[in-house]
Amino acid sequence: MSPDGDRFEALRAWVQGDLALAASVKLLATALVGRLLSGPWVRQYEAGHLWFDADVAATESGELSGGERRVLEIATSLASSEHPVDLSDAINGLDPDALEAVLAELALAGGQGR
């Protein structure tokens, strides 16, 4: 498995049973060719276990493009009610692939996805 695939699987193990967190992690892995899996918001603790730190994601997105930042904001909002996002602003101007990933993960978070 690739390093990104390993990171995704480790994060999936962390979110077991929480639809919103699962959607958030899957969005990081599927949108923008998985570029958002690499960032200070994917944290490591206890012998290599990974988790998504929504607080770090909310404050450390300065190096990202506008589209990357908006997708990360949506993933952050799914992971934590402390970081709400206005979807009408966040999805505006996303490329079609990123928009498709966002909509699929919103459906997953609502219990309608796969």
Side-chain angles (χ1 to χ4, degrees):
M1 187 171 285
S2 73
D4 284 343
D6 290 342
R7 289 174 75 79
F8 177 54
E9 289 304 318
L11 287 167
R12 279 184 51 181
W14 170 69
V15 301
Q16 196 78 27
D18 186 314
L19 290 177
L21 282 177
S24 178
V25 165
K26 194 169 174 199
L27 184 57
L28 294 176
T30 59
L32 309 165
V33 196
R35 287 192 302 265
L36 296 177
L37 277 176
S38 299
W41 43 83
V42 177
R43 310 278 298 228
Q44 185 171 343
Y45 67 100
E46 295 179 22
H49 296 286
L50 298 179
W51 61 288
F52 174 54
D53 189 332
D55 293 332
V56 171
T59 60
E60 306 246 352
S61 63
E63 298 293 319
L64 300 177
S65 72
E68 291 169 334
R69 188 174 294 114
R70 288 192 305 274
V71 171
L72 182 61
E73 288 172 354
I74 294 167
T76 301
S77 182
L78 285 167
S80 171
S81 62
E82 299 289 319
H83 304 286
V85 67
D86 182 344
L87 284 175
S88 65
D89 289 336
I91 63 172
N92 187 27
L94 288 179
D95 69 58
D97 292 335
L99 178 58
E100 184 177 331
V102 165
L103 294 176
E105 300 323 315
L106 290 174
L108 175 64
Q112 304 298 314
R114 296 181 209 163

